[in-house]
């Protein structure tokens, strides 16, 4: 390995090599060192925040040492590497995860107990210290969290992999609920600095925008090396985040880019005295990485977003290429050394950028370049929803990236020729598969089509979804390429964060039951099947139930905190209160509206019984204790989703204050749902709701998290619910509703035939219309009602409502009259959830798409 340090100096370097701390003594030395010098504080003014910073810096020191070794090992062995490009990484907190994953030399399952003890002796409580860390909320929902789980699994499996993304100054907004409405406030997560990032001021990549293509030589064509004269230049600065694997010393890298102005400025303006304007444009550079776009499953089409995408793709590719070039291999070997995974279409510009680099800068022949490009990239699709599919008006696109638009035209030209050759004269097909959409008011670049054409593999994220994309949005591409290009990799989640970190007591209980106190099962989740043997064991059931009850108490604390210290949940009855939870982005297709309608139905039915003379005991028999818990953010501009949040809060207000029904029904909306809250909420569920209209939720991943924590599911036959059912058995899940193959017909019926509302739903809608939940403004929720009654009920709430309500009654019955059976279902579900470890996903991607192998540390 090259070094600038002369040989004769190396002894000193080696003598003073920094070592990892391996025990309490070592940790304490580091901790106090960081408090006193890095933070310039002392024992007199070290508060919890300083303790958090100092603990993080100490643990980070260990990770950096392992990070360095990992990177050196990989450089030396030079294997094929994976680059995971994602515009979102929803990481949550880093410290607890680092404590769990890094071993700090002990043979303990983790170094966490050691640090906990140390901190205690130093005068701090680990739990309080951990809470000082703000979430790294650089994502919207499932897509960003998937990326976070995947990089955890890649590190754990010693895959030579880097993540590339953007270092947004503001993550997803913080949600406040004011008078029942969502109010967004900025999430300046870097307020107190960030001990987990390493600013690499030495890595600055210039990125160009606007300008024109110079073809004044009269010789070159769009297919030959062309000169793009950019009009604006900014710098991408690298920030690195260590990603530790579990029970391995591999520490991978997540590189996030920040935009900053170049040091050049406009001398013409400066000399003419226009100093301010000469600086202003430069300053605007920073806006590129200022904010995460807060939309989930929705494409807003803003220029700044395209700018973010290019900025990130250009910088990342530059970095990848620089690393490849160091090995002096020929370009033809790029696909043997590099796999680039596109997390949805957001990074598709990387395909075009690589073609540009190869043709314009490296002077490769167009076709040679293109075969290298397509062998390098693969694309994962995450949605079939039209409003989420990215398309860019060519005007906007060509203005920002003139050369890239030319390249896209040429890619399309050759692609359409290929199609024409296979299907001569099928002009309809040509226009359907064209990367350029011709018929809309303005021509548009279809990014998903570009991603398919530019990749060697395309995958969906659950079996049903992968089948659906082949039959619907990408049908024509199956015709053109054959179905081998399309594959499935069902999503997964990391059991380190979602079982061990979120639910340590359950992990411990499982470890004991499996005779695996060091919790090696977290690396081999299919091992959990052994648990099934314990499903009928009354002692084990009791222990299992106790873990759940304690988790529910913790959630009750969280709910109390977010409700100005007022308890909503009756703690005395916590064991026989069914915690029914739906937490995820608020979206009409996810159907939180159906859930709250179900709650209203229940409330009305209870009131009716009372009115007709039933005693409260009789009511309780039919409608036993239940807490209906919601959480999730709406996109700031999504009117209907915001109205759903308001309805939930309005219902909560009426129901929770109704003394007549005593405490039998409670409704809670937990504000500002995020990863760290999910870690408290998910382990506390008895039941969780995954009730999207069939065919709309590509996979879902919280469904897996809930089951892994011993919760049962009420759900539709959609996304990964299908495979969860197959794995855990249909006796252990409450499925209901219409199937995806009937959706089209049902929608058609709503449009063209007269359909009746089921009486249960009619009753609910009537009560909303009459202002029961909005006495001041009975019309407040009219748009929600109209969407069902007058606008075609696109999400088929009226078609699924009866079976939803009936299934909820079945849930009550099992939970309240056959509790042992319920617990048994819970144990059996956990026993069979191993398939959904993200470790399995990474194995599948590695073998079938990336063709990469682990590089294990020497032991
Ligand atoms: C989400 C999908 O909606 C969800 O079903 C899936 O589990 C997740 O991605 C991870 O694959 N934006 N978010 C998603 O898709 C898009 C687009």
């Amino acid at each position: 390995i090259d070094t600038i340090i002369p040989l004769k100096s190396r002894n000193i370097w080696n003598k003073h090599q920094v070592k990892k701390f391996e025990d309490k003594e070592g940790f304490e030395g580091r901790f106090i060192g960081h408090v006193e010098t890095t933070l310039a504080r002392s024992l007199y003014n070290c508060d919890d925040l300083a303790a958090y910073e100092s603990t993080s810096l100490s643990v980070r020191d260990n990770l950096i040492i392992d990070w360095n070794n990992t990177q050196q090992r990989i450089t030396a062995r030079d294997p094929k590497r994976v680059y995971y490009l994602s515009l979102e990484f929803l990481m949550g907190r880093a410290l607890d995860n680092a404590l769990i994953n890094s071993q700090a030399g002990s043979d303990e399952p983790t170094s966490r107990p050691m640090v906990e003890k140390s901190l205690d002796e130093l005068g701090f409580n680990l739990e309080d210290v951990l809470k000082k860390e703000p979430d790294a909320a650089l994502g919207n929902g499932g897509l960003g969290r998937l990326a976070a789980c995947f990089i955890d699994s890649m590190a754990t499996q010693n895959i030579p992999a880097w993540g590339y993304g953007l270092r947004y100054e503001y993550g997803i907004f913080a949600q406040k609920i004011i008078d029942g409405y969502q109010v967004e406030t900025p999430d300046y997560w870097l307020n107190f600095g960030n001990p987990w990032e390493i600013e690499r001021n030495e890595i600055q990549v210039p990125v160009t925008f606007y300008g024109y293509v110079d073809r004044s030589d009269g010789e070159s064509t769009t297919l030959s090396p062309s000169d793009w004269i950019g009009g604006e230049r900014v710098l991408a600065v690298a920030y690195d985040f260590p990603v530790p694997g579990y029970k391995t010393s591999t520490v991978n890298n997540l590189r996030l880019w920040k935009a900053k102005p170049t040091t050049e400025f406009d001398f013409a303006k400066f000399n003419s005295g226009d100093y301010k304007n000469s600086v202003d444009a430069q300053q605007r550079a920073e806006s590129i990485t200022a904010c995460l776009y807060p939309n989930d499953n929705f494409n807003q089409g803003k220029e700044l977003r395209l700018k973010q995408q290019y900025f990130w793709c250009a910088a990342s590719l530059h970095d990848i290429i620089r690393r490849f070039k160091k090995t002096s291999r020929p370009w033809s070997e790029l696909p043997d050394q590099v796999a680039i995974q596109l997390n949805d279409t957001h990074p598709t510009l990387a395909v075009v950028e690589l073609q540009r680099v190869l043709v314009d800068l490296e002077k490769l022949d167009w076709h040679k370049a293109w075969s290298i490009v397509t062998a390098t990239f693969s694309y994962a699709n995450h949605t079939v929803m039209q409003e989420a599919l990215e398309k860019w008006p060519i005007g906007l696109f060509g203005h920002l990236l003139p050369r890239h638009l030319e390249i896209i035209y040429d890619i399309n030209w050759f692609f359409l020729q290929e199609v024409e050759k296979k299907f001569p004269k099928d002009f309809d097909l040509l226009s359907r598969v064209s990367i350029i959409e011709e018929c809309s008011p303005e021509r548009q670049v279809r990014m998903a089509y570009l991603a398919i054409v530019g990749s060697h593999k395309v995958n969906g994220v659950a079996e049903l979804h992968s089948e659906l994309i082949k039959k619907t949005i990408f049908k024509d591409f199956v015709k053109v390429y054959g179905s081998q290009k399309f594959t499935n990799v069902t999503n997964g989640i990391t059991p380190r964060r979602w079982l061990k970190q979120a639910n340590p007591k359950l992990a411990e209980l499982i470890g004991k039951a499996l005779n695996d106190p060091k919790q090696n099962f977290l690396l081999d989740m299919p091992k959990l099947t052994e648990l099934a043997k314990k499903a009928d064991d009354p002692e084990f059931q009791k222990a299992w139930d106790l873990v759940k009850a304690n988790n529910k108490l913790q959630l009750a604390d969280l709910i109390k905190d977010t409700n100005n210290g007022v308890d909503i949940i009756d703690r005395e009855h916590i064991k026989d209160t069914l915690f029914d939870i739906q937490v995820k982005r608020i979206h009409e297709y996810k159907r939180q509206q159906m859930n709250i309608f179900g709650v209203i139905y229940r409330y009305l039915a209870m009131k009716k019984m009372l009115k007709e003379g039933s005693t409260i005991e009789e009511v309780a028999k039919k409608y036993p204790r239940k807490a209906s818990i919601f959480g999730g953010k709406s996109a700031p501009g999504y009117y209907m989703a915001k109205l759903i949040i308001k309805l939930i809060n309005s219902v909560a207000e009426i129901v929770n204050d109704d003394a007549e029904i005593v405490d039998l029904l409670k409704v809670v909306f937990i504000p500002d749902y995020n990863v760290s809250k999910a870690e408290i909420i998910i382990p506390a569920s008895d039941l969780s709701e995954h009730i999207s209209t069939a065919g709309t939720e590509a996979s879902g991943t919280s469904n897996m998290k809930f089951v892994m924590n011993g919760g049962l599911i009420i759900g539709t036959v959609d996304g990964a619910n299908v495979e969860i059912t197959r794995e855990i058995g249909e006796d252990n899940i409450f499925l209901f509703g219409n199937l995806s193959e009937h959706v089209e017909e049902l929608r058609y019926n709503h449009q063209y035939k007269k359909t009746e509302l089921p009486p249960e739903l009619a009753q609910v809608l009537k009560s909303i219309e009459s202002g029961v939940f909005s006495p001041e403004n009975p019309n407040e929720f009219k748009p929600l009602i109209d969407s069902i009654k007058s606008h075609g009920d696109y999400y088929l709430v009226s078609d699924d409502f009866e079976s939803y309500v009936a299934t909820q009654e079945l849930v009550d019955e099992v939970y309240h009259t056959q509790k042992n059976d319920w617990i048994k279902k819970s144990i059996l579900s956990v026993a069979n959830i191993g398939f959904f470890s993200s470790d399995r996903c990474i194995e599948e991607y590695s073998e079938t798409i990336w063709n990469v192998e682990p590089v294990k540390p020497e032991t």
Side-chain angles (χ1 to χ4, degrees):
I1 296 174
D2 285 352
T3 164
I4 41 179
I5 305 298
L7 264 177
K8 65 175 174 31
S9 307
R10 293 214 192 148
N11 276 344
I12 314 179
W13 284 82
N14 290 335
K15 184 169 135 203
H16 296 289
Q17 206 176 43
V18 182
K19 300 238 163 49
K20 287 177 22 177
F21 68 78
E22 303 207 326
D23 52 19
K24 253 176 73 224
E25 278 286 292
F27 171 74
E28 285 156 10
R30 278 289 159 79
F31 178 89
I32 292 170
H34 279 302
V35 169
E36 294 192 344
T37 57
T38 318
L39 306 178
R41 298 228 205 176
S42 72
L43 94 134
Y44 299 106
N45 66 357
C46 183
D47 54 14
D48 276 350
L49 177 63
Y52 154 69
E53 290 175 324
S54 187
T55 306
S56 299
L57 289 166
S58 306
V59 173
R60 191 188 89 164
D61 284 347
N62 275 13
L63 295 190
I64 291 181
I65 293 167
D66 282 341
W67 184 95
N68 274 325
N69 290 333
T70 306
Q71 302 316 317
Q72 272 175 32
R73 178 168 70 243
I74 292 171
T75 307
R77 297 205 210 157
D78 198 26
K80 181 170 182 181
R81 295 156 161 93
V82 180
Y83 297 106
Y84 193 85
L85 269 53
S86 180
L87 210 39
E88 304 188 5
F89 286 93
L90 189 44
M91 302 295 287
R93 290 176 175 153
L95 177 55
D96 202 9
N97 190 246
L99 288 173
I100 286 168
N101 279 19
S102 65
Q103 291 183 75
S106 66
D107 197 30
E108 289 285 314
T110 74
S111 66
R112 196 180 185 280
M114 182 193 88
V115 169
E116 185 170 15
K117 192 142 185 271
S118 262
L119 281 177
D120 181 57
E121 289 173 14
L122 289 161
F124 295 95
N125 172 277
L126 175 62
E127 295 300 329
D128 295 336
V129 168
L130 293 175
K131 285 192 195 134
K132 287 291 160 188
E133 180 172 359
D135 273 36
L138 310 185
N140 277 286
L143 176 131
R145 185 54 231 177
L146 186 78
C149 286
F150 279 8
I151 58 174
D152 177 276
S153 280
M154 289 190 278
T156 297
Q157 294 194 42
N158 307 297
I159 300 288
W162 281 33
Y164 277 108
L166 289 182
R167 179 183 174 275
Y168 304 106
E169 228 104 304
Y170 295 86
I172 186 73
F173 62 84
Q175 179 194 53
K176 294 216 162 87
I177 299 296
I178 297 179
D179 297 333
Y181 297 99
Q182 166 173 303
V183 175
E184 300 94 26
T185 62
D187 164 47
Y188 187 56
W189 68 295
L190 299 166
N191 197 17
F192 294 106
N194 178 6
W196 296 101
E197 66 185 18
I198 302 150
E199 186 180 351
R200 298 266 187 217
N201 276 313
E202 73 280 17
I203 301 179
Q204 307 202 350
V205 181
V207 178
T208 305
F209 301 101
Y210 307 107
Y212 59 97
V213 183
D214 182 14
R215 216 162 268 116
S216 52
D217 61 0
E219 301 270 297
S220 60
T221 71
T222 55
L223 293 178
S224 55
S226 304
D227 243 348
W228 171 27
I229 314 294
E232 182 182 302
R233 238 153 66 103
V234 300
L235 293 175
V237 186
Y239 284 72
D240 287 347
F241 296 74
V243 182
Y246 181 66
K247 295 199 179 190
T248 169
S249 62
T250 294
V251 176
N252 281 345
N253 196 26
L254 171 60
R255 177 158 286 179
L256 305 183
W257 301 103
K258 173 195 159 88
K260 75 166 197 182
T262 58
T263 45
E264 311 153 354
F265 72 27
D266 192 333
F267 278 103
K269 280 209 179 103
F270 182 68
N271 287 336
S272 68
D274 195 1
Y275 178 73
K276 190 173 171 295
N277 278 328
S278 82
V279 181
D280 269 5
Q282 284 294 320
Q283 294 298 327
R284 271 205 305 277
E286 272 155 14
S287 70
I288 297 175
T289 49
C291 297
L292 163 80
Y293 274 90
N295 303 313
D296 184 88
N297 261 299
F298 182 75
N299 172 40
Q300 216 178 331
K302 286 269 186 278
E303 178 179 291
L304 182 61
R305 168 81 165 191
L306 188 62
K307 223 168 164 179
Q308 288 186 334
Q309 294 184 349
Y310 180 63
F311 170 81
W312 156 59
C313 290
S316 307
L317 257 190
H318 182 96
D319 215 35
I320 294 166
I321 289 171
R322 183 179 52 83
R323 209 165 293 125
F324 173 75
K325 278 185 154 185
K326 277 203 218 156
T327 64
S328 314
R329 286 189 161 83
W331 281 112
S332 59
E333 286 178 24
L334 185 77
D336 305 327
Q337 290 303 105
V338 170
I340 304 179
Q341 178 63 43
L342 306 175
N343 196 27
D344 215 85
T345 53
H346 317 146
T348 306
L349 278 171
V351 169
V352 190
E353 175 70 356
L354 181 57
Q355 180 71 2
R356 185 184 75 85
V357 169
L358 295 179
V359 171
D360 288 0
L361 309 181
E362 302 293 333
K363 322 283 184 209
L364 260 68
D365 158 73
W366 174 278
H367 298 283
K368 271 205 188 109
W370 187 241
S371 68
I372 292 170
V373 170
T374 53
T376 303
F377 284 96
S378 50
Y379 155 53
N381 169 279
H382 296 263
T383 189
V384 293
M385 305 247 290
Q386 280 305 327
E387 64 266 35
L389 298 180
E390 287 192 298
K391 291 178 187 174
W392 296 105
I394 56 152
L396 185 158
F397 197 107
H399 177 58
L400 187 69
L401 301 165
R403 176 58 181 146
H404 294 78
L405 185 59
E406 286 182 358
I407 293 174
I408 291 173
Y409 281 139
D410 287 332
I411 292 170
N412 196 36
W413 166 251
F414 288 114
F415 168 62
L416 292 180
Q417 279 185 339
E418 219 183 296
V419 178
E420 159 79 23
K421 226 187 267 164
K422 272 195 206 154
F423 304 94
K425 302 252 153 28
D426 192 343
F427 301 116
D428 258 4
L429 178 66
L430 287 179
S431 86
R432 287 202 307 272
V433 297
S434 173
I435 295 169
I436 307 293
E437 186 170 278
E438 297 282 348
C439 53
S440 47
E442 193 187 350
R443 292 151 86 208
Q444 305 214 322
V445 185
R446 297 159 156 167
M447 299 305 270
Y449 292 6
L450 180 57
I452 298 174
V453 176
S455 298
H456 64 284
K457 281 269 177 200
V458 176
N459 75 280
V461 290
E463 273 176 26
L464 176 68
H465 169 65
S466 297
E467 284 308 310
L468 273 177
I469 60 177
K470 286 195 280 181
K471 286 193 203 132
T472 60
I473 54 175
F474 302 150
K475 183 168 138 205
D476 292 318
F477 287 88
V478 174
K479 193 167 164 189
V480 170
Y481 287 118
S483 65
Q484 325 77 266
K485 183 158 181 167
F486 295 85
T487 181
N488 171 249
V489 183
T490 299
N491 282 167
I493 57 171
T494 170
R496 274 73 67 180
R497 182 175 293 259
W498 296 113
L499 178 51
K500 177 152 183 74
Q501 185 179 324
N503 202 344
K505 288 283 185 281
L506 189 66
E508 199 182 311
L509 181 63
I510 293 172
K512 269 195 206 137
L514 298 182
N515 221 338
D516 178 12
K518 292 194 177 156
Q519 302 180 4
N520 286 315
F521 68 86
L522 292 166
L523 290 169
D524 187 7
M525 291 291 282
K527 279 214 178 106
L528 291 185
T529 46
E530 288 292 298
L531 267 185
K533 290 184 190 148
K534 297 261 188 180
D536 284 308
D537 175 343
E539 280 305 300
F540 189 71
Q541 286 194 351
K542 215 166 129 197
W544 192 264
D545 197 34
L546 188 63
V547 170
K548 183 61 79 184
N550 282 323
N551 293 339
K552 286 163 78 170
L553 282 172
Q554 283 192 27
L555 177 54
D557 288 342
L558 172 72
I559 291 171
K560 186 175 167 192
D561 278 354
T562 56
N563 191 47
N564 301 321
V566 183
D567 248 330
I568 303 179
I569 307 290
D570 176 356
R571 284 156 201 267
E572 243 174 72
H573 292 101
I574 210 146
K575 266 196 162 182
D576 47 43
T577 303
L578 184 134
F579 276 33
D580 177 342
I581 304 182
Q582 188 177 20
V583 281
K584 49 183 89 227
R585 285 297 287 244
I586 312 292
H587 220 301
E588 287 165 284
Y589 86 81
K590 295 177 189 278
R591 296 201 293 191
Q592 283 94 352
Q593 70 276 40
M594 188 164 78
N595 184 344
I596 195 66
F597 292 161
V599 172
I600 294 173
Y601 175 78
R602 188 182 183 99
Y603 175 64
L604 296 177
M606 292 165 84
K607 296 290 276 184
K608 184 158 175 254
M609 281 182 78
L610 289 168
K611 203 166 161 206
E612 289 170 355
S614 300
T615 63
I616 193 75
E617 287 74 25
E618 284 163 334
V619 176
K621 216 155 179 210
K622 180 102 208 276
Y623 297 107
R625 286 178 190 282
K626 171 160 179 160
S628 236
I629 299 166
F630 295 82
K633 294 173 186 177
S634 156
Y638 190 170
Y639 176 78
M640 291 296 258
K642 287 185 145 177
L643 200 54
I644 293 171
I645 294 177
K646 171 62 179 160
L647 177 59
I648 295 168
N649 285 309
S650 297
V651 171
E653 208 175 312
I654 299 291
V655 171
N656 296 350
D657 279 353
D658 190 333
E660 224 185 30
I661 60 163
V662 202
D663 278 339
L664 290 179
L665 180 60
K666 293 289 170 189
V667 181
V668 179
F669 188 94
I670 300 174
D672 201 33
Y673 179 60
N674 60 15
V675 172
S676 53
K677 284 189 182 155
E679 289 165 17
I680 299 168
I681 295 169
I682 291 171
S685 89
D686 295 302
L687 183 78
S688 66
E689 309 221 7
H690 308 274
I691 56 177
S692 48
T693 311
T696 62
E697 188 71 275
S699 163
T701 43
S702 74
N703 42 6
M704 304 163 190
K705 293 167 196 162
F706 279 103
V707 175
M708 200 175 277
N709 283 282
L712 303 195
I713 283 181
I714 181 165
T716 44
V717 185
D718 198 21
N721 288 355
V722 177
E723 290 147 274
I724 291 176
T725 306
R726 185 167 70 210
E727 293 293 312
I728 70 177
E730 52 185 357
D731 290 347
N732 300 318
I733 185 166
F734 297 94
L735 291 181
F736 71 95
N738 284 283
L739 305 182
S740 66
E741 52 262 44
H742 300 134
V743 164
E744 205 180 332
E745 188 190 333
L746 291 168
R747 282 185 181 153
Y748 179 91
N749 291 348
H750 284 297
Q751 289 239 314
Y752 300 104
K753 294 186 185 166
K754 209 175 146 35
T755 49
E756 290 285 317
L757 285 186
E760 294 89 345
L761 184 60
Q763 206 184 316
V764 169
L765 298 189
K766 205 169 133 207
S767 78
I768 299 172
E769 277 173 318
S770 69
V772 174
F773 305 101
S774 53
E776 253 102 275
N777 179 7
N779 277 329
E780 173 144 39
F781 302 112
K782 193 163 180 298
L784 285 174
I785 293 165
D786 287 349
S787 87
I788 295 173
K789 288 218 266 196
S790 343
H791 301 147
D793 191 12
Y794 190 75
Y795 298 100
L796 308 182
V797 172
S798 60
D799 301 278
D800 285 347
F801 195 68
E802 277 175 287
S803 71
Y804 175 61
V805 168
T807 309
Q808 280 287 17
E809 287 180 3
L810 180 63
V811 167
D812 282 326
E813 192 189 316
V814 181
Y815 187 81
H816 289 281
T817 68
Q818 306 152 32
K819 191 66 183 279
N820 292 344
D821 200 37
W822 182 282
I823 299 171
K824 182 176 169 182
K825 289 177 193 295
S826 163
I827 299 170
L828 288 176
S829 300
V830 176
N832 292 298
I833 202 68
F835 178 77
F836 299 96
S837 166
S838 46
D839 292 348
R840 186 265 313 149
C841 308
I842 294 308
E843 276 170 37
E844 288 183 15
Y845 277 102
S846 297
E847 279 170 28
T848 65
I849 298 179
W850 303 332
N851 192 23
V852 295
E853 277 172 7
V855 174
K856 291 199 179 128
E858 300 85 23
T859 36

